[in-house]
Amino acid sequence: VVEPGMAAVQPLSDALAATTLAGAVPQPAPPVVEETDLLGFFDEPTTTPAAATAPPCTTTLALVPYTLSGDDYQTIWGKQTQPTLSTSLSFTSLPPSTVEVETALTKTKICTMASGELPTEFKFFLYGKDGEGNVFLVQAVIVKAALPTPMTIEIKVKGDSDGLDATAKADQFLELMRSALVAYM
């Protein structure tokens, strides 16, 4: 969300460059969810079983200040034909608006490309970049329904580093999101 009179999102200070995920508590596996294609790249919705509960992440994913244009976001998203990770987080309370979610994520240097509120859901297009040059793109939807409600998440990783384990990086990014949004879980 860009405030009137502001041209772009300002990067956060380097004080937030490293976020430690050690000690993260694994969450119960969410139910099977229907993925929503926010950018129109799929022919029809698909049903994906939720990911199994993973052991706590013990590594640190440090995101760096990064700006990405809308055109670049869509280009990268389109080139990554399959998501690296499709899952959901279970929310036990509903954020009042997209602003609260964006504010929490910004503290971990997860940036918002766009977001919006529809009568039945909040939609988010998010991104981030780590110190190794890996770019993370995220489509996320929070359904406004009876609680608990899912936040469906699709993460794609564009790797610039040698020996990239995209799935492990996506898991680390998910843990970073989870730690930022714990107030709603």
Side-chain angles (χ1 to χ4, degrees):
V1 175
V2 177
E3 296 292 316
M6 293 190 65
V9 176
Q10 299 296 317
L12 296 175
S13 72
D14 287 337
L16 297 175
T19 301
T20 302
L21 300 176
V25 177
Q27 300 295 317
V32 172
V33 295
E34 184 173 292
E35 293 179 20
T36 303
D37 177 22
L38 301 176
L39 293 177
F41 288 112
F42 301 116
D43 294 327
E44 58 188 64
T46 58
T47 301
T48 304
T53 302
C57 182
T58 57
T59 61
T60 299
L61 179 66
L63 298 181
V64 297
Y66 181 61
T67 302
L68 185 67
S69 73
D71 288 340
D72 288 341
Y73 185 103
Q74 289 197 31
T75 298
I76 295 168
W77 187 272
K79 287 181 180 179
Q80 306 298 112
T81 58
Q82 295 295 318
T84 304
L85 179 65
S86 293
T87 190
S88 68
L89 299 175
S90 182
F91 279 28
T92 57
S93 67
L94 194 61
S97 71
T98 60
V99 173
E100 285 77 6
V101 173
E102 292 174 38
T103 300
L105 293 171
T106 298
K107 292 175 183 176
T108 62
K109 295 192 180 179
I110 296 175
C111 302
T112 302
M113 175 60 58
S115 67
E117 181 174 3
L118 298 171
T120 60
E121 61 194 16
F122 296 118
K123 289 187 175 185
F124 302 89
F125 300 90
L126 309 167
Y127 67 95
K129 184 175 183 178
D130 69 12
E132 297 173 0
N134 302 303
V135 176
F136 301 84
L137 302 181
V138 178
Q139 291 182 4
V141 176
I142 301 172
V143 177
K144 295 186 206 175
L147 297 173
T149 189
M151 176 188 212
T152 59
I153 301 168
E154 188 169 296
I155 301 173
K156 292 187 177 184
V157 180
K158 176 185 177 280
D160 289 336
S161 61
D162 293 333
L164 172 70
D165 181 351
T167 302
K169 288 287 187 180
D171 285 338
Q172 291 174 7
F173 194 89
L174 177 64
E175 288 304 314
L176 194 57
M177 288 182 68
R178 184 188 321 269
S179 70
L181 300 172
V182 70
Y184 302 109
M185 294 180 206

